Amino acid sequence: MKVSTMKTRIRPFVPAALAAAVLAACGGSDGDSAPVNAKPAYLGAISAVTYDGTSNDLLTAGLGASGLAAPVAPAYADPLNPTAAELRRTAIHTNYRAMLDMTAAGGYGTLYGPNVNAQGQVTAGDGKVAGTEYIAFADDGTGRKNVTLMVQVPASFDPKKPCMITATASGSRGVYGGISTGEWGLKKGCAVAYSDKGTGGAPHDLQNDTVPLIDGTRATAAAAGANAAFNAGLTPTELAAFNAATPNRFAFKHAHSGQNAEKDWGTTTLQAVEFGYYVLNQRYGETNAAGQRLKSLTPANTIVIASSISNGGGSAIAAAEQDTQGLISGVAVSEPAIEMPANPGVTVRRGSADIVVTGKPLIDFTTYANLYQSCASLAPSIGSTPYAAAFAAGFGSAALPIAPNRCASLKAAGLLSASTTATQAEEALQKLRDYGWEPESNDLHASLAAFEVAPAVAVTFANSLSRASVKDNLCGFSYAATAATGAVTPLAAAALPGMFATGNGVPPSGGINLVNNLGKFGPARDFLSFSDAGVADWNTAGALCLRNLVTGTDAAARKLQAGVDETRRNGNLRGKPAIIVHGRADALLPVSHTSRPYAALNRKVEGAASKLSYVEVANAQHFDSFIGLPTVLPGYDSRYVPLHVYLNHALDAVYDHLASGKPLPASQVVRTVPRGGTPGSAPAITAANVPPIAATPVAANAIAVTAGSISVPD
C-alpha cells in the first residue's frame, strides 16, 4: 500500500502511444488546445492511497469475498484506538453487508458478490480490486460543510474506454455507504465517484467534545478545528449548558448539521463527478508545453452513469436534474428517495384503480408511518408475517403493552375509532394502505416497527429539514446510550472509536438510541418512555409533534416545510437515458410516493424527449440485508428476492445503451418467483427466481407511462 497526497505527487506521465490514443478519442491533435486540468476550488487537501489488490484493495479492503461473508470484521488491535486503515476495513465490511443478502442461499457468491465478474460469471477468485483511492472534503471555506468525496480508480481503468459511475451513500451513512453499488463500476473498469452527501455514522460526542475526522479517527473538537468531519457548532457556553441539562448526548451530522443536507445531495454528487474527472485527468490527461495536465477526458468521450440506492439513488436523480454541464451521461438507480413537487399534477393507477394518495415527501409519509405502524403491526390479518409474533410478544405483552397503548392513545387523540386493540390495529393498517402503501407492504410493517425504522428516520429528517441544532431537542428527542430500563447512560468506551465504521448515522445505531427527553419519569429510550399520564405508549406525544411539523401551521412547522420545499425534484432528467428499479413491496419508500409518480412527472415534463424506463420488481422490498437474517426474520427469505440483482441489470442496460446504442428496456413489472419453502430455511435461490428485465415486456407486464400518468398492472 502506498500513501500520498496529490498536492505533492504527480503520477508518471502515461506512455506516448496511450496518450495519443486518449487525445485522438478527444477529437484533437494539439494537446495545448484543451483547458488545463484545474483542481475544483471547493476541494481540500486530497489524500491518495494505492492498493495492490492482494494485501488490500478498493472493493473488499483486503478481505475478499470470503472475508465480507464473515459476520464480523477482523478485530482492531486496540479497540479504543483503531487505526484509519482498520476503520476503513470495517466500514467496507459493515456497509457492504448492510446493503445485501450475504447468504449463499440468497445469491451471494452466485448471483452477485466480488467473485462474480462483470459478465455475471462465478469465478474462483476472491474479487479483490487493485487501484487507487482518493479522498477529500468539499467545503465552502467555513469547515461547516466538509462533505467527504472519494474517487476509486481501479487498475483496470482504460483511458481509451473511460467510464465512471457515482455511488453516493445510501441512508445517512458515511462515504463507504455506496460500496455495493461501486462494485459494479470497479468490476467494469470504471472509476467510482462517492459522496457521503453531508451525512455519516460518527457523531460529535458532546459530553467529551470529541469529533470524527475524515478518516474516521477521532480528536478533540479544539484540535480538529475546521478539519472535523462534523462538529455540532455549539459555543463553549452553549455546550456547557447543554451538557449540564442533558448529559451523555450525541449529535449526528445528518440530523444536526444545520445545513438541510438533502437540498445539496444533487450538488455534492455532481462535485464527486467533477472530482473524478480531476483525478482521471491528473493521471491520464495530456500535458501542454508547460507540463500541465489538460482536460483530455471529458463528458464528450467518457461514459458517466449516476447510480446508487435509496437516498443515494435520490441523490443521483437530483444530480441528473441539476446537471447543466452535461457531466452525467445516464442514470441507473434502485429504490430512490424522491421528493416530488407539492402539486405534481400526475396520476398513479394500479390495475383498474387509481391510487388516491401519492407523491408525498419522505418526511410526510414517514411521520405518518411513525404514528400508525406500531399499532398496525398488531393486526390479526398480518399475524403470520415476518416478525409479527415476536413483535406482539415484545411490544404487546401484558407486562409491557407498548403497542396496544399506542393504539389506545391514537383512539384517545381521535385518530382511530375502533374499540379493541385488534380492531384498532386493523384500522391503523388500513390507514397505511389508504395513505399509499401497497398491499404487499403489509407483511413488512411488524419488522420495520420492531427495528424502530420510522421513528429513527422521522427524527433525523425532521431535524435536518428544520435546520435544527442539537440544543433545540426538536420535539423532545435526543440521542444517547441507554440501559435496559431505558434510562440514559454513558456509552460503552469501545463503542465510539469505531462508530465511523459501524454506525449508520440514524440512531438507534452503534449503541446509541433514540431518547425521549420529556418522559414523565425522566429521559428514557423512546419506546420505553412514559407519557404525561404515566402510560408507556411509544411516545405518542413525540410522534404527534413530528407529524404536526408536516401538517401544522405554526413557526416550527413552517420552518420544516420550507426545508422540504428546498428538496423537491422537478422531473427533468434532461433527456438522459435512465432506468429506475424499485421493489413493489417497499414499505420504507413506497412506490406510489416515489418512483411511480416520478416516472409520470418525467414524461409530463420531458414529453417525447424522455428516456426514462421504470422497472417495478414483484416480491422485492427495501432491505435486501433483511433477507439474509433467516434466524431473526424468518419469512423474508421465503417471500423476497434481492433487488440488488436488478440494479446491476439496470447498470448493464444503461451502459450498453450509451456504449453501443442498444435500446433500453421498456417500463415493466418483472414477475420474480419467491424461493418459497419453510420460512427461515428457504431453498437456495436460482436464476429462475430472478428473471431478467425483458427487452420488450409482454402486455400483462407492460407499464404505461404517458404525460402525467402511469398505469401499473397488478
Side-chain angles (χ1 to χ4, degrees):
M1 181 178 72
K2 181 165 62 178
V3 183
S4 62
T5 64
M6 288 188 69
K7 281 192 169 183
T8 59
R9 176 175 74 110
I10 298 295
R11 295 182 62 87
F13 181 53
V14 295
L18 183 56
V22 172
L23 184 60
C26 296
S29 59
D30 181 357
D32 289 355
S33 65
V36 171
N37 186 42
K39 177 183 172 184
Y42 53 78
L43 282 180
I46 302 170
S47 68
V49 183
T50 298
Y51 299 105
D52 60 15
T54 302
S55 63
N56 209 333
D57 76 301
L58 298 178
L59 176 59
T60 76
L63 297 172
S66 56
L68 290 180
V72 180
Y76 303 134
D78 179 357
L80 298 181
N81 294 283
T83 66
E86 289 175 326
L87 289 166
R88 175 184 179 272
R89 180 181 64 198
T90 300
I92 288 175
H93 181 271
T94 298
N95 284 285
Y96 190 95
R97 293 179 58 83
M99 298 300 109
L100 305 179
D101 177 354
M102 297 298 293
T103 63
Y108 181 70
T110 54
L111 299 179
Y112 54 87
N115 65 305
V116 180
N117 67 19
Q119 292 72 45
Q121 300 163 336
V122 178
T123 71
D126 226 8
K128 297 178 184 179
V129 179
T132 303
E133 184 172 286
Y134 303 83
I135 297 180
F137 279 142
D139 189 53
D140 58 3
T142 66
R144 295 294 303 145
K145 287 187 176 293
N146 277 358
V147 173
T148 302
L149 304 181
M150 178 172 74
V151 176
Q152 293 181 324
V153 183
S156 59
F157 181 87
D158 183 356
K160 297 188 296 297
K161 294 176 58 179
C163 57
M164 185 189 332
I165 72 165
T166 70
T168 301
S170 66
S172 302
R173 296 176 176 275
V175 73
Y176 293 100
I179 191 70
S180 63
T181 299
E183 177 178 12
W184 183 94
L186 296 175
K187 290 176 179 178
K188 198 78 172 180
C190 301
V192 184
Y194 302 81
S195 168
D196 74 0
K197 67 187 191 311
T199 64
H204 183 170
D205 176 358
L206 299 164
Q207 188 71 46
N208 299 295
D209 202 17
T210 66
V211 295
L213 303 177
I214 195 170
D215 61 4
T217 59
R218 300 189 66 83
T220 65
N227 292 317
F230 168 59
N231 183 314
L234 303 185
T235 68
T237 300
E238 290 172 333
L239 183 61
F242 180 89
N243 286 332
T246 50
N248 299 309
R249 298 307 204 274
F250 297 86
F252 283 83
K253 190 169 186 178
H254 188 175
H256 298 130
S257 71
Q259 306 282 333
N260 188 12
E262 187 179 0
K263 73 178 176 58
D264 296 324
W265 286 356
T267 299
T268 58
T269 297
L270 288 169
Q271 288 177 337
V273 174
E274 291 176 327
F275 185 20
Y277 271 119
Y278 174 70
V279 163
L280 293 175
N281 281 307
Q282 284 298 99
R283 292 181 58 141
Y284 304 110
E286 273 284 274
T287 56
N288 61 16
Q292 297 170 303
R293 293 287 183 179
L294 303 177
K295 291 184 177 180
S296 303
L297 299 179
T298 71
N301 56 46
T302 304
I303 290 175
V304 177
I305 303 175
S307 186
S308 194
I309 70 172
S310 194
N311 289 344
S315 302
I317 294 287
E321 288 189 356
Q322 296 167 8
D323 182 20
T324 59
Q325 300 180 72
L327 298 173
I328 293 170
S329 316
V331 178
V333 297
S334 176
E335 58 192 25
I338 301 173
E339 311 291 16
M340 293 289 291
N343 297 292
V346 301
T347 60
V348 176
R349 172 176 285 252
R350 176 175 170 183
S352 60
D354 285 348
I355 308 296
V356 176
V357 182
T358 69
K360 298 291 187 182
L362 182 149
I363 190 64
D364 186 323
F365 61 74
T366 304
T367 54
Y368 197 87
N370 188 35
L371 268 180
Y372 292 106
Q373 196 172 57
S374 55
C375 175
S377 297
L378 297 175
S381 63
I382 57 172
S384 61
T385 62
Y387 212 76
F391 179 88
F395 297 93
S397 67
L400 196 65
I402 302 170
N405 288 346
R406 168 57 71 87
C407 293
S409 292
L410 292 173
K411 168 71 179 296
L415 298 176
L416 295 176
S417 60
S419 299
T420 67
T421 295
T423 55
Q424 288 165 355
E426 294 290 359
E427 185 181 358
L429 181 63
Q430 187 60 46
K431 281 183 173 290
L432 293 173
R433 285 280 309 280
D434 293 343
Y435 209 70
W437 273 264
E438 295 300 297
E440 289 85 352
S441 297
N442 285 357
D443 292 1
L444 297 159
H445 291 309
S447 54
L448 298 195
F451 288 0
E452 302 172 75
V453 172
V457 174
V459 170
T460 292
F461 274 81
N463 274 277
S464 182
L465 293 164
S466 300
R467 286 187 168 89
S469 167
V470 67
K471 64 184 173 66
D472 295 333
N473 293 311
L474 187 67
C475 288
F477 290 101
S478 66
Y479 298 129
T482 57
T485 60
V488 172
T489 186
L491 182 67
L496 184 61
M499 205 169 294
F500 165 87
T502 58
N504 65 15
V506 191
S509 174
I512 296 176
N513 294 315
L514 190 60
V515 169
N516 174 17
N517 289 347
L518 305 179
K520 180 178 178 65
F521 305 114
R525 185 167 183 177
D526 185 46
F527 70 78
L528 293 174
S529 63
F530 286 78
S531 70
D532 288 345
V535 177
D537 63 356
W538 212 314
N539 189 13
T540 302
L544 288 169
C545 177
L546 292 169
R547 184 65 184 157
N548 184 68
L549 295 174
V550 176
T551 62
T553 58
D554 59 19
R558 291 197 302 271
K559 190 174 181 182
L560 178 138
Q561 292 158 16
V564 171
D565 287 341
E566 293 180 317
T567 69
R568 296 185 188 274
R569 303 273 56 86
N570 60 40
N572 186 0
L573 291 174
R574 301 173 180 269
K576 301 179 192 296
I579 298 178
I580 295 174
V581 299
H582 209 136
R584 172 171 281 184
D586 195 325
L588 177 66
L589 299 175
V591 288
S592 285
H593 287 306
T594 51
S595 296
R596 285 177 177 174
Y598 186 81
L601 177 66
N602 169 259
R603 187 62 60 88
K604 177 182 178 182
V605 171
E606 293 198 69
S610 171
K611 296 180 182 177
L612 170 62
S613 294
Y614 171 53
V615 177
E616 189 164 298
V617 182
N619 308 305
Q621 47 81 50
H622 198 83
F623 299 101
D624 278 6
S625 60
F626 286 7
I627 307 172
L629 301 173
T631 59
V632 178
L633 295 171
Y636 268 76
D637 58 340
S638 56
R639 284 171 167 82
Y640 303 115
V641 301
L643 189 61
H644 182 66
V645 169
Y646 292 96
L647 173 61
N648 287 339
H649 287 335
L651 281 160
D652 288 339
V654 172
Y655 181 88
D656 289 346
H657 176 77
L658 293 168
S660 65
K662 182 178 179 179
L664 292 178
S667 295
Q668 62 190 272
V669 174
V670 178
R671 310 287 184 182
T672 65
V673 181
R675 289 155 62 190
T678 302
S681 57
I685 197 169
T686 69
N689 296 108
V690 283
I693 300 171
T696 303
V698 299
N701 296 340
I703 294 176
V705 185
T706 57
S709 178
I710 183 170
S711 181
V712 181
D714 276 327

